Amino acid sequence: MTTPHDLDLQEAARRHLWLHFTRMSSYANGEVPVIVRGSGQYVYDQHGKRYLDGLAGLFVSQIGHGRKEVAEAGAQQASELAYFPLWSYAHPRAIELAERLATLAPGDLNRVFFTTSGSEAVESAWKLAKQYFKAIGEPGRYKVLSRDIAYHGTSMGALAITGLPSIKEPFEPLPPGGVRVPNTNFYRAPGFVADDLEGFGRWAADEIERAILREGPESVAAVFLEPVQNSGGCFPPPPGYFARVREICDRYGVILVSDEVICAFGRLGYYFGSERYHYQPDIITFAKGATSGYSPLGGMLVSDRLMEPFSTGAATFLHGVTFAGHPVSSAVALANLDVFEQEDLLGNVRANEATFRATLEKLHDLPIVGDVRGDGYFYGIEMVKDKATRETFSDDESERLLRGFLSQALFDAGLICRADDRGDPVIQLAPPLTCGPEHFTEMEQILRSVLTEAWSRI
Ligand SMILES: Cc1ncc(COP(=O)(O)O)c(C=O)c1O
């Protein structure tokens, strides 16, 4: 596909395109970044300038860009059967993909309900939890626990689960039942556990129990947790955290949903993040890396136990979306998984993740770098005003630092990553799983020069 000669992309973008979570006014006099193609770990803008894709687009492009075999699998499927719904019918690619995902997923997560996005997956999981409890005679259970600052999507239900007050406020009132618990940001742990990672993890898990008891266990349906929380800048779970959460959920009959929209499909070196941290969810939600973005697809993997009430008689999960499990997306997801196997991408992440960490940790010598945290190919770098006291930036400083300088400077220097202040200011990195040491070095060098410049401007 080429752009018609007479269309000025900049002018048309400014006039007609609405960018997501974007201050459109910031492009009134500036250039809209227009990315036109990708190849491997790099993307190119309309002027031909190259960028290292340090965020895999938006935690999506696991296998990298420009894979002809995956694109061709989609094209082949479109010419064979472009569309048919999963409402009452099935089609071969959705069946094959459901079987393959069930085989890869931990434990008895044997049933796949497809969606087209992560928000829809999260929405579906909450709806399933509510209908499941009505079906088994516990109709009072509808509440959902999730963690401070966690992002679980933007549709109304998913937004009620999301723990970011600033993006919820314009849409209040949201569906009732969202309850917050602490996240696992050890860098900002409360004083009494500040030097005790396991103690911090026990405390954070026990806060889930306290919340269940406070709300009344008979009213709580589910707990939604990411294996590594993205928003806030990559909070891995402390040792023992998930084992304790699993025990608590079992004690009170609460469904444990592992929201793996980011953490599944190799981001942490495993097909599913819950495998890495050895816990068994009742539901896994996924999207993004399932197709590496060659076509949209999301879904949830559901345990036999939760499926059981829907297996007999007139019982029906009263939920669906037109494009869920789209044949093209399903074919693309299968081809994506073929690449994972042929190129041992999980093995690549596991073999290189220590080097990735060590390369990013070199940045600790900069005065602005407070914390480097994450696992696998998923890292956050927290910036601070004072390393010794861990003092963070004021809202005004953060605004000037992130929006006024860093985001643009990193982009100008040729690195796609994310400078984010939905918590304390962080830079996030989640590159394609095909990356190796040379890409880590490139990221570190760009970050070093831009962060040095940022410090000199404070
Ligand atoms: C953990 C998590 N859940 C849900 C979502 C929502 O996914 P989507 O943007 O595909 O609706 C995201 C998106 O980043 C996410 O990170």
Side-chain angles (χ1 to χ4, degrees), residues 285-349:
T285 50
F286 62 88
K288 298 191 186 264
T291 57
S292 287
Y294 285 75
S295 188
L297 181 92
M300 59 173 172
L301 278 144
V302 177
S303 71
D304 291 339
R305 177 174 68 90
L306 296 188
M307 177 64 201
E308 206 273 330
F310 298 93
S311 305
T312 52
T316 307
F317 181 32
L318 293 168
H319 182 54
V321 284
T322 301
F323 286 142
H326 192 283
V328 171
S329 300
S330 300
V332 160
L334 288 163
N336 182 49
L337 289 172
D338 288 345
V339 175
F340 269 72
E341 280 175 23
Q342 285 152 13
E343 300 182 12
D344 188 20
L345 292 185
L346 303 183
N348 191 53
V349 173

Side-chain angles (χ1 to χ4, degrees), residues 49-108:
K49 184 174 166 196
R50 188 178 93 149
Y51 301 83
L52 176 57
D53 187 0
L55 204 64
L58 195 57
F59 313 99
V60 167
S61 308
Q62 317 294 71
I63 61 173
H65 300 276
R67 298 284 192 144
K68 292 273 182 297
E69 68 272 44
V70 180
E72 276 158 15
Q76 158 65 25
Q77 181 59 42
S79 54
E80 186 179 306
L81 176 71
Y83 175 70
F84 224 72
L86 292 180
W87 302 43
S88 308
Y89 305 95
H91 56 77
R93 297 302 94 73
I95 300 169
E96 290 159 21
L97 181 59
E99 189 272 340
R100 195 150 164 191
L101 293 176
T103 307
L104 295 174
D108 70 340

Side-chain angles (χ1 to χ4, degrees), residues 58-59 117-120 122 151-154 226 230 259-262 287-288:
L58 195 57
F59 313 99
S117 71
S119 297
E120 280 175 6
V122 167
Y151 181 83
H152 292 283
T154 47
E226 291 164 89
N230 168 45
D259 183 357
E260 307 208 6
V261 166
I262 289 179
K288 298 191 186 264

Side-chain angles (χ1 to χ4, degrees), residues 14-45:
R14 267 195 291 270
R15 258 175 201 266
H16 300 297
L17 188 63
W18 203 333
L19 303 182
H20 295 207
F21 280 114
T22 302
R23 290 182 192 176
M24 292 306 290
S25 66
S26 59
Y27 294 120
N29 301 310
E31 189 172 279
V32 179
V34 178
I35 303 298
V36 296
R37 74 182 179 89
S39 174
Q41 299 84 1
Y42 294 89
V43 292
Y44 297 81
D45 72 12

Side-chain angles (χ1 to χ4, degrees), residues 180-247:
R180 290 299 84 70
V181 293
N183 58 44
T184 59
N185 182 0
F186 186 54
Y187 188 65
R188 302 269 174 213
F192 63 94
V193 278
D195 299 319
D196 175 5
L197 181 59
E198 287 188 34
F200 170 62
R202 270 197 305 281
W203 169 79
D206 288 348
E207 282 296 305
I208 292 179
E209 179 165 36
R210 277 189 277 279
I212 293 173
L213 291 171
R214 198 170 55 237
E215 296 295 325
E218 69 292 344
S219 72
V220 180
V223 179
F224 277 66
L225 305 172
E226 291 164 89
V228 172
Q229 180 174 321
N230 168 45
S231 192
C234 282
F235 307 145
Y241 174 79
F242 273 112
R244 204 167 178 95
V245 170
R246 181 70 266 182
E247 276 170 31

